[in-house]
Amino acid sequence: MITVMALAMLKSQDMQEKWRGKLSASMDNIDKEQTLTKRSGKYALLILPLITVLREGLEAMIFVGGVTFQEEGKAIPLAAICGLLAGALVGFIIYRGGSRLTLHRFFVASTCFLLFIAAGLFTKAIMAFEMDKWNKIVGGDADDAGSYDPRQNVWALTCCNPNDPNAGGWQFLNAVVGWSNIASVGTVTGYCMYWVVVIVSVVFMQIKGKRARAEASSPELRDEKIAA
């Protein structure tokens, strides 16, 4: 799902032109047809962010409530306030710099970040299946601390363990890009094959987009396609 959403964001330039035309047509027709649907369309860009912010606020309350079962109560207010301030700062930067920032470049950067997250999740899924299989073989609980299938192992580092709370930023890398100090043939192959599929998809989308833009700019090709 993350991969599909990320690849769809690469079409931001085409989608921007498409939605600009739809919004322009909607605003032109709003005065001609005073129906409830036409009137509500004018406020769609206000209602959608409002619903999104409310949903994210509810999720934040649920997450903060879950943390209270593991941490002390005095540790929650400062973290929540820092999160609110950080969110407000990022929102202000996006609001002030949105007119100066090229939307397509922003979506490309966001797509790259999301693809790294998706690749890590895909690798974690493969590792979970392999650990479950190894658990059934040894009859115990295998984990990244030292129990792994040596028949499929590629590397097993004693350092850079994301499960070690004193290992620095490896926990962050594990959460974001799926880093692990233990790798198998399946996880390495799956990670590489994921990027091969992504690269092939991006190349196909680029070729398809060039053909679509060529047909849109050439009346002869457009007429031939309609006739066919």
Side-chain angles (χ1 to χ4, degrees):
M1 183 181 297
I2 295 177
T3 305
V4 174
M5 180 182 66
L7 293 178
M9 292 172 64
L10 292 178
K11 299 180 179 180
S12 60
Q13 190 170 1
D14 297 334
M15 290 189 297
Q16 187 177 3
E17 296 295 334
K18 178 181 177 181
W19 283 104
R20 182 182 290 114
K22 288 187 176 182
L23 290 173
S24 178
S26 176
M27 297 302 293
D28 291 340
N29 296 331
I30 196 68
D31 296 330
K32 299 178 181 179
E33 302 181 19
Q34 294 295 330
T35 62
L36 180 61
T37 304
K38 296 297 183 181
R39 291 178 180 177
S40 61
K42 184 169 60 174
Y43 304 101
L45 294 179
L46 174 64
I47 297 174
L48 181 60
L50 177 63
I51 295 176
T52 303
V53 171
L54 289 176
R55 184 197 66 190
E56 296 297 335
L58 292 175
E59 290 182 0
M61 292 176 60
I62 294 174
F63 290 145
V64 171
V67 173
T68 57
F69 292 102
Q70 300 178 353
E71 303 293 339
E72 298 181 0
K74 61 182 181 180
I76 304 302
L78 180 60
I81 293 173
C82 290
L84 290 174
L85 293 177
L89 178 62
V90 172
F92 178 77
I93 293 174
I94 294 176
Y95 172 75
R96 296 294 297 179
S99 58
R100 302 177 184 177
L101 180 66
T102 303
L103 189 62
H104 182 67
R105 293 182 180 178
F106 173 77
F107 279 133
V108 169
S110 301
T111 298
C112 294
F113 181 70
L114 290 175
L115 289 176
F116 274 110
I117 294 177
L121 291 175
F122 183 67
T123 306
K124 283 184 177 180
I126 297 175
M127 181 179 294
F129 280 112
E130 292 181 345
M131 287 295 182
D132 180 70
K133 183 179 179 180
W134 180 241
N135 286 341
K136 294 178 180 179
I137 294 176
V138 300
D141 292 331
D143 54 27
D144 291 346
S147 180
Y148 56 88
D149 188 353
R151 301 169 301 176
Q152 304 291 332
N153 182 256
V154 176
W155 70 71
L157 305 178
T158 56
C159 66
C160 314
N161 186 358
N163 293 328
D164 185 3
N166 300 321
W170 298 109
Q171 288 182 330
F172 175 77
L173 292 177
N174 175 262
V176 176
V177 297
W179 161 258
S180 176
N181 63 320
I182 295 177
S184 65
V185 176
T187 56
V188 174
T189 304
Y191 190 84
C192 295
M193 291 303 299
Y194 173 85
W195 284 110
V196 169
V197 173
V198 168
I199 292 172
V200 171
S201 301
V202 170
V203 172
F204 175 77
M205 290 170 55
Q206 186 176 11
I207 295 174
K208 186 177 179 181
K210 287 183 178 180
R211 289 181 179 177
R213 287 190 292 270
E215 291 177 357
S217 60
S218 177
E220 294 84 3
L221 293 176
R222 185 170 59 250
D223 295 339
E224 290 178 0
K225 184 176 180 181
I226 295 174

